[in-house]
Amino acid sequence: MATDAPPPSKQEHRLPTTEEFTEVQQSEEFGELRRSFRNFAFPLTIAFVAWYLLYVLLSNYAGDFMGEKLFGNINVAFVLGIAQFVTTFLIAWWYSRHAAAKLDPKAEAIKTRMEGGA
């Protein structure tokens, strides 16, 4: 089975010291990486949890609404339940694109520098 990952490097990497980790953690570059992650992940997490809780609350307290037939035997509860799965996959796809474009290059630059590659 083929993958897009490159083969493991045979080159030895230097392990950073504790002081180097602390220095990088306190750097502006690392802070920017962390902010970029948080600015994406936290609002989406809050929105998804709110969306999920809305579904649960509607299921518990709005049975007539959730049981409303839309077409055939398909009701509102079924459509909203399927939408939960669709939303989950969309968020995962969106995050993978965000990480590849914004997070991974910054993290790779930090890693390379810490391992002595730059």
Side-chain angles (χ1 to χ4, degrees), residues 1 9 11 19 32 38 41 50 54 56 61 69 77-78 87 99 113 115:
M1 179 161 107
S9 174
Q11 179 182 0
E19 292 77 24
E32 184 182 321
R38 287 179 181 165
L54 174 67
V56 170
Y61 300 110
K69 292 195 186 259
F78 181 77
T87 304
R113 197 171 45 260
E115 291 178 342

Side-chain angles (χ1 to χ4, degrees), residues 42-65:
F42 285 0
L44 260 168
T45 300
I46 290 167
F48 184 78
V49 168
W51 159 228
Y52 174 75
L53 290 175
L54 174 67
Y55 177 76
V56 170
L57 291 172
L58 286 173
S59 294
N60 282 321
Y61 300 110
D64 292 339
F65 170 71

Side-chain angles (χ1 to χ4, degrees), residues 32-44 90-107:
E32 184 182 321
L33 175 62
R34 207 172 26 219
R35 274 189 302 281
S36 183
F37 168 76
R38 287 179 181 165
N39 288 341
F40 184 88
F42 285 0
L44 260 168
L90 285 174
I91 289 172
W93 171 77
W94 192 14
Y95 176 76
S96 71
R97 289 180 46 96
H98 171 74
K102 303 266 177 19
L103 304 178
D104 293 348
K106 292 176 187 176

